[in-house]
Amino acid sequence: MKRIYLDNAATTALKPEVLEKMLPYFTEYYGNPSSLHSFAREAKKGIDKAREQTASAVGALPEEIIFTGSGSESDNMVLRGIAALKKQNGNHIIISSVEHHAVLHTCEELEKAGFKVTYLPVDEYGRVFADDVASAITDKTILVSIMFANNEVGTIMPISEIGSICRARNVLFHTDAVQAVGQVPIDVKKMNIDMLTMSAHKFHGPKGAGALYIKKGIRLPAMITGGAQERKKRAGTENVPGIVGLGEAIEISVKNMETNAKRMRSLRDKLIMGIRERIPDVKLNGHPSERLPGNVNFSIRYVEGESILLMLDLNGIAASSGSACTSGSLDPSHVLLAMGLDHETAHGSLRMTLGDETTDEEIDYVLEVLPGIINRLRSMSPLYVGGRI
Ligand SMILES: *Cc1c(COP(=O)(O)O)cnc(C)c1O
């Protein structure tokens, strides 16, 4: 059976050329980068190169990049770190209501510790209004954290506008750019971004390797204390192969971004149009144009997202319902609810996220199989009577 992977927002395949670059750091250059011998120097050189590759991918300086264990860790480090660093100045944090759980749940923890969090609303397409950021800022605001692009519906946020607002009001601005890196152009200086979260496994790098851009001058405290690694901001012997893989993957992704994005956009639009033509009672979730090149998210009325996933999997197609973290629980997606969908519709969502390797034939196959699956599920649904409730 054909196997088709359309869950690239959850994780991506490691590129063979990235693995190639990582392998010697497992077998030959296994020295501890902090030691003083040739084994260590090779490892250290690998990290230095990755730091340059990462910095140049987002328009930062190498000394503004630190490596972490994941995107979630980078998000935690910013929120908890700025809260600790700035608590004398204020206790107010602004985020959007559609953030990843790494930001949302961390803010819930901070609320328990006495911080006030504003959860900005989004429009029907999942987009934050930049003006809302401006009006939410008070003299107690210590941080604005708005994701670059949403992982469920692919909506790209007005990051440059938010950046200018925060800079003008002298408030720190962090963006979780895990979904955006390698998909849309990022320039931390031009966009007035103070901190930016990245994760290697979302751009065809290895899992367990994250990075964080921290603008020079921001003295973010360490969450993990111990050795002096990562300029004392993140103790622990470095995941050298992971870091090398992150650097290589980000360089390749950004280098090929334009070509890949163009290809993916056209496959994405073919899939969107094909679904609309073949399946009645569907609603595209997310923004029509301000959208990640690989994201397709539909609400398919009268069927459960989970049932669609099971049937697709039986046909070799890997997709997702909402985010990987909410599938497996019966909660409707907080993102779709924030966009104004009712509970019923928020349960029946299907996310298909394309990657560098997705082919035209694969999209054809999905369009061939999916309508039949939906028909069968709907024919079993008591809610669906010939397209009417
Ligand atoms: C995947 C993801 C994360 C978490 O990254 P990990 O490296 O898996 O911890 C954070 N934010 C967004 C938007 C994501 O898509």
Side-chain angles (χ1 to χ4, degrees):
M1 185 173 63
K2 272 190 271 232
R3 293 214 313 152
I4 297 177
Y5 187 74
L6 292 176
D7 199 14
N8 284 278
T11 195
T12 57
L14 183 71
K15 277 196 194 304
E17 57 269 45
V18 173
L19 176 64
E20 195 76 19
K21 286 277 164 58
M22 292 170 65
L23 285 174
Y25 292 88
F26 287 106
T27 51
E28 275 177 74
Y29 312 135
Y30 49 78
N32 185 322
S34 303
S35 303
L36 297 172
H37 44 62
S38 63
F39 294 79
R41 275 195 298 279
E42 289 297 341
K44 175 91 173 36
K45 270 205 312 220
I47 296 178
D48 289 346
K49 173 159 184 222
R51 207 182 302 281
E52 281 166 21
Q53 289 168 311
T54 309
S56 97
V58 296
L61 300 168
E63 62 266 33
E64 294 176 315
I65 300 295
I66 71 154
F67 294 113
T68 65
S70 63
S72 300
E73 185 187 323
S74 298
D75 284 342
N76 268 263
M77 185 168 171
V78 169
L79 293 159
R80 293 174 193 271
I82 295 298
L85 184 71
K86 299 275 179 186
K87 62 172 182 283
Q88 314 303 341
N89 306 45
N91 67 345
H92 181 225
I93 295 170
I94 299 170
I95 67 170
S96 82
S97 46
V98 298
E99 295 298 311
H100 188 271
H101 284 141
V103 169
L104 276 181
H105 290 166
T106 308
C107 281
E108 286 163 17
E109 292 295 309
L110 291 172
E111 282 180 306
K112 287 181 205 156
F115 287 86
K116 299 270 177 288
V117 180
T118 298
Y119 301 83
L120 293 180
V122 293
D123 66 13
E124 61 181 305
Y125 305 118
R127 214 160 188 248
V128 160
F129 301 91
D131 286 350
D132 282 354
V133 177
S135 30
I137 293 175
T138 71
D139 55 2
K140 293 270 191 293
T141 309
I142 51 173
L143 178 68
V144 171
S145 179
I146 308 281
M147 69 201 320
F148 208 114
N150 183 267
N151 45 303
E152 290 187 36
V153 296
T155 300
I156 301 168
M157 301 294 186
I159 291 299
S160 289
E161 286 169 76
I162 298 171
S164 317
I165 291 166
C166 293
R167 189 59 50 90
R169 304 284 292 273
N170 204 19
V171 173
L172 291 174
F173 176 40
H174 164 250
T175 183
D176 174 339
V178 170
Q179 291 290 332
V181 174
Q183 305 282 318
V184 286
I186 298 177
D187 187 313
V188 291
K189 305 294 166 192
K190 284 196 194 123
M191 297 174 163
N192 290 308
I193 297 164
D194 297 310
M195 288 158 283
L196 178 136
T197 291
M198 300 166 252
S199 176
H201 76 100
K202 301 287 176 82
F203 47 79
H204 301 278
K207 293 168 183 60
L212 179 61
Y213 152 75
I214 312 168
K215 188 175 184 269
K216 219 151 102 177
I218 299 174
R219 298 195 354 269
L220 201 63
M223 261 207 323
I224 300 174
T225 48
Q229 293 91 353
E230 299 301 293
R231 299 196 324 286
K232 292 198 183 156
K233 288 197 192 298
R234 206 264 188 182
T237 302
E238 298 87 337
N239 170 12
V240 183
I243 291 170
V244 166
L246 186 154
E248 202 59 29
I250 204 168
E251 183 180 323
I252 295 173
S253 300
V254 170
K255 193 171 71 196
N256 302 327
M257 179 163 60
E258 230 172 287
T259 332
N260 279 336
K262 201 168 150 219
R263 245 193 80 252
M264 277 202 287
R265 242 179 242 119
S266 104
L267 292 176
R268 173 197 73 187
D269 294 342
K270 175 176 168 165
L271 184 54
I272 290 176
M273 290 217 309
I275 290 176
R276 280 182 162 151
E277 279 165 11
R278 290 168 178 78
I279 307 173
D281 289 308
V282 296
K283 176 186 179 300
L284 179 71
N285 296 313
H287 204 281
S289 57
E290 294 301 308
R291 181 180 202 101
L292 289 174
N295 177 286
V296 175
N297 185 311
F298 273 102
S299 285
I300 306 202
R301 294 201 181 90
Y302 319 117
V303 279
E304 289 262 330
E306 255 85 329
S307 331
I308 308 174
L309 294 189
L310 292 177
M311 300 277 271
L312 281 173
D313 189 41
L314 286 174
N315 286 277
I317 300 166
S320 131
S321 170
S323 72
C325 321
T326 34
S327 337
S329 82
L330 283 174
D331 291 339
S333 142
H334 68 283
V335 175
L336 297 179
L337 291 179
M339 287 160 59
L341 271 69
D342 57 69
H343 276 248
E344 168 86 33
T345 317
H347 267 299
S349 85
L350 171 64
R351 180 185 75 177
M352 291 182 277
T353 41
L354 286 57
D356 291 2
E357 311 88 353
T358 308
T359 64
D360 200 44
E361 293 71 45
E362 291 179 333
I363 300 301
D364 286 338
Y365 179 67
V366 174
L367 287 174
E368 193 185 305
V369 168
L370 185 61
I373 291 176
I374 303 302
N375 262 338
R376 275 180 57 197
L377 289 173
R378 279 181 175 168
S379 70
M380 298 186 283
S381 163
L383 291 174
Y384 191 76
V385 185
R388 270 168 237 283
I389 312 181

